[in-house]
Amino acid sequence: MSNEHGGAGHWYQKVRYQWQSGGPVITWAIVIACAAVWLVEVLLKYISPSLFADMIFNGSFTSGLALMKPWMWFTSMFMHDPNVLHVLGNMLTLIAIGPYLEGLLGHWCFLAVYMICGLGASEGLIVYSHFANNWAMSAYGASGALFGLFAMMLLVFRRTHTDIRAMVVWIVVDLAMPLFVPHVAWQAHVGGFITGLLLTWLLLDGVPALRRRPLWVRMLVYGGIIVVVLIALAVLLTPQWLIQLLRQTGQLDSAVFV
């Protein structure tokens, strides 16, 4: 018993030190959460395919269900394809850029940026669904939020006169990936990237009266505004017939997804 308590105390002190020193606590928390969810997906896929299908349906973001199942805006950020390459690629990217941004922004502001960019990624699917009239689009993964972090790093590096050519090439290659790899939700990548650009620009410049305010104040104001705009845009772009159907039945007719 003493060894177990000693081990738990050691980890607590280590995490506490990382938190106080600006270490990548949130970054690793997201990595652990995504890895844990991925392991559950893999287990369910082989143990109970029906539960796996329910998890994917209820956890991934589907543009036509966004207003009925608002939790999907968040759960979809932490889910990945059972193929290990999907989660591994995203988590290695997060480990590569997350510590720098978390150290720059602070823990809670970094988490806010990640989540808001993830919401923007889902909004990208809604915008595309509106113009393509395809409300059966579904996606999951952390890449949309990661593209928002890419956008932030671009603007920050540009402000600090850091060479961004390598990053620009990396982003262009990632954006062009749907041309070579099927089933990539490029709409989410674009949505997350645009959201990251807008949020970072507001934090760096924004309203003159707020420029000297603490970062957390600017994040609260600008982040809150962006979230409200994303929600309002989702309501405005979702067709009235679909909203009426959601109100009347509480669910979408299966014919919508044929």
Side-chain angles (χ1 to χ4, degrees), residues 2 7-8 10 12 16 26 47 58 67 73 99-100 102 106 118 129 137 140 158 181 194 209 234 239 245:
S2 60
H10 169 74
Y12 170 77
R16 183 180 179 183
I26 297 297
I47 296 175
N58 289 297
L67 300 182
W73 293 72
Y100 171 79
E102 186 171 351
S129 294
M137 294 191 63
Y140 52 79
R158 183 174 181 273
V181 181
I194 293 175
L245 187 60

Side-chain angles (χ1 to χ4, degrees), residues 158-216:
R158 183 174 181 273
R159 179 65 62 91
T160 58
H161 304 290
T162 304
D163 188 353
I164 62 173
R165 287 176 294 182
M167 178 167 287
V168 170
V169 172
W170 187 10
I171 293 173
V172 170
V173 169
D174 281 343
L175 286 173
M177 190 178 298
L179 299 175
F180 311 99
V181 181
H183 310 303
V184 174
W186 62 267
Q187 303 90 341
H189 295 176
V190 173
F193 189 79
I194 293 175
T195 303
L197 283 178
L198 177 60
L199 179 57
T200 306
W201 176 76
L202 288 171
L203 291 173
L204 291 175
D205 297 313
V207 179
L210 290 176
R211 288 177 187 171
R212 295 186 179 277
R213 301 289 291 179
L215 178 61
W216 70 268

Side-chain angles (χ1 to χ4, degrees), residues 24 65 153 231 243:
L65 296 172
M153 291 194 70
I231 295 172
I243 294 178

Side-chain angles (χ1 to χ4, degrees), residues 17-250:
Y17 171 77
Q18 287 292 321
W19 184 274
Q20 293 175 343
S21 61
V25 178
I26 297 297
T27 297
W28 281 104
I30 295 172
V31 170
I32 292 171
C34 289
V37 173
W38 179 78
L39 286 174
V40 172
E41 290 180 49
V42 173
L43 289 174
L44 288 180
K45 182 178 181 180
Y46 294 101
I47 296 175
S48 177
S50 61
L51 288 178
F52 170 74
D54 288 340
M55 181 179 182
I56 297 299
F57 177 74
N58 289 297
S60 59
F61 184 87
T62 303
S63 54
L65 296 172
L67 300 182
M68 187 181 75
K69 299 181 177 181
W71 63 83
M72 295 190 305
W73 293 72
F74 299 96
T75 56
S76 59
M77 301 181 208
F78 298 93
M79 299 178 64
H80 291 83
D81 189 274
N83 185 334
V84 68
L85 294 179
H86 189 204
V87 66
L88 183 62
N90 281 345
M91 293 304 98
L92 288 177
T93 301
L94 180 58
I95 292 171
I97 65 177
Y100 171 79
L101 289 177
E102 186 171 351
L104 182 68
L105 299 170
H107 306 298
W108 296 120
C109 286
F110 172 74
L111 179 61
V113 169
Y114 183 86
M115 300 298 287
I116 292 170
C117 290
L119 297 179
S122 296
E123 191 72 53
L125 288 177
I126 292 178
V127 172
Y128 182 84
S129 294
H130 173 76
F131 289 103
N133 195 27
N134 176 11
W135 294 94
M137 294 191 63
S138 182
Y140 52 79
S143 54
L146 292 176
F147 266 87
L149 299 186
F150 286 152
M152 173 166 278
M153 291 194 70
L154 273 179
L155 291 186
V156 170
F157 282 3
R158 183 174 181 273
R159 179 65 62 91
T160 58
H161 304 290
T162 304
D163 188 353
I164 62 173
R165 287 176 294 182
M167 178 167 287
V168 170
V169 172
W170 187 10
I171 293 173
V172 170
V173 169
D174 281 343
L175 286 173
M177 190 178 298
L179 299 175
F180 311 99
V181 181
H183 310 303
V184 174
W186 62 267
Q187 303 90 341
H189 295 176
V190 173
F193 189 79
I194 293 175
T195 303
L197 283 178
L198 177 60
L199 179 57
T200 306
W201 176 76
L202 288 171
L203 291 173
L204 291 175
D205 297 313
V207 179
L210 290 176
R211 288 177 187 171
R212 295 186 179 277
R213 301 289 291 179
L215 178 61
W216 70 268
V217 173
R218 285 175 281 152
M219 182 66 71
L220 187 64
V221 173
Y222 295 133
I225 291 174
I226 289 177
V227 170
V228 170
V229 169
L230 291 176
I231 295 172
L233 191 60
V235 174
L236 289 174
L237 293 181
T238 303
Q240 287 299 314
W241 66 265
L242 186 53
I243 294 178
Q244 289 298 326
L245 187 60
L246 291 174
R247 289 174 176 172
Q248 292 172 6
T249 67

